[in-house]
Amino acid sequence: MSRIRLLAAKSAVLGLASLTVLGFAGCASPGGAVTNAPTTAASQSPTPSPTPTAVAADPDDVSTWVITTDGIGPIERGAPYQEVVAGLPAFETSEWCPWVVELSTEGAASLLLTHPEGGDEVASVWVMGRADEAGVVPASPTTEAGIRLGSALDELTAAYPGLQQVNQTAADSFGYAVGDDTEGYVDFVVEDDVVVLIGVQEVAGVPKEFCG
């Protein structure tokens, strides 16, 4: 091979090598650093919702009271009657009969406490009230399932699937109960499909007369 052809071939090889180097250089980011593939950011754990803070029962505000088989708000079954009344200074007391006392305060539903004649312990506690002419229901305690005075019968049966009708107190008034013989019962009187009386006692059933 002549010297001219040998120089031409060598130049061609060097040119191809230069193009190859330039091709790789084009894949590099400015500054010569190789660009990495994007990475997926680590998923963050969802922030847990804060636990709702239970509202403490205000002895002067029945709307903060909860109805359970143990009692209504600060009034517990089996508690000394005199101590219960002394702990509710915002309420006026009125004796219906020797074993039934009404507690009342402005703007709230009335409460009835019963205790065995001659006894000192609260046997049952009731809250009662109806809407006034303007349709306003007095302030009322609420059961753990959200039922209060003024709740509809449909709401009551939806809240307590095991609800039982236990007696009839008047032509359009029916008594219902939920609970058991061990823990006690929460009783309801429904009048014209509206809850007008809620009570807590050891038996199921609503008395037709508290002093009868």
Side-chain angles (χ1 to χ4, degrees):
M1 180 182 295
S2 68
R3 181 177 180 83
I4 294 175
R5 287 184 179 181
L6 182 59
L7 290 175
K10 185 175 181 180
S11 297
V13 171
L14 291 174
L16 180 61
S18 298
L19 290 175
T20 302
V21 171
L22 289 174
F24 280 113
C27 295
S29 60
V34 177
T35 303
N36 295 325
T39 57
T40 303
S43 60
Q44 296 181 351
S45 300
T47 303
S49 301
T51 302
T53 303
V55 178
D58 181 349
D60 297 340
D61 183 1
V62 299
S63 67
T64 66
W65 297 6
V66 178
I67 302 172
T68 70
T69 53
D70 292 328
I72 298 180
I75 306 174
E76 296 183 356
R77 288 195 299 122
Y81 162 74
Q82 295 295 341
E83 290 185 13
V84 168
V85 174
L88 300 170
F91 293 80
E92 296 183 0
T93 61
S94 176
E95 188 176 89
W96 282 22
C97 50
W99 58 91
V100 179
V101 174
E102 179 183 7
L103 301 179
S104 59
T105 189
E106 186 176 357
S110 295
L111 298 158
L112 288 182
L113 304 184
T114 72
H115 55 95
E117 191 169 3
D120 185 48
E121 295 182 349
V122 174
S124 67
V125 54
W126 304 79
V127 59
M128 58 184 181
R130 296 174 174 82
D132 60 19
E133 294 180 356
V136 178
V137 179
S140 165
T142 307
T143 71
E144 293 175 301
I147 300 301
R148 64 181 66 209
L149 297 179
S151 293
L153 177 59
D154 289 346
E155 295 174 309
L156 177 63
T157 55
Y160 297 103
L163 188 74
Q164 297 181 352
Q165 182 178 328
V166 290
N167 62 342
Q168 183 172 358
T169 58
D172 297 317
S173 299
F174 299 88
Y176 296 85
V178 62
D180 56 53
D181 293 337
T182 301
E183 300 295 330
Y185 291 86
V186 179
D187 291 283
F188 306 87
V189 169
V190 175
E191 182 179 277
D192 295 325
D193 291 337
V194 175
V195 175
V196 297
L197 179 71
I198 305 173
V200 178
Q201 58 182 354
E202 66 179 357
V203 297
V206 180
K208 293 183 179 180
E209 296 286 344
F210 283 94
C211 290

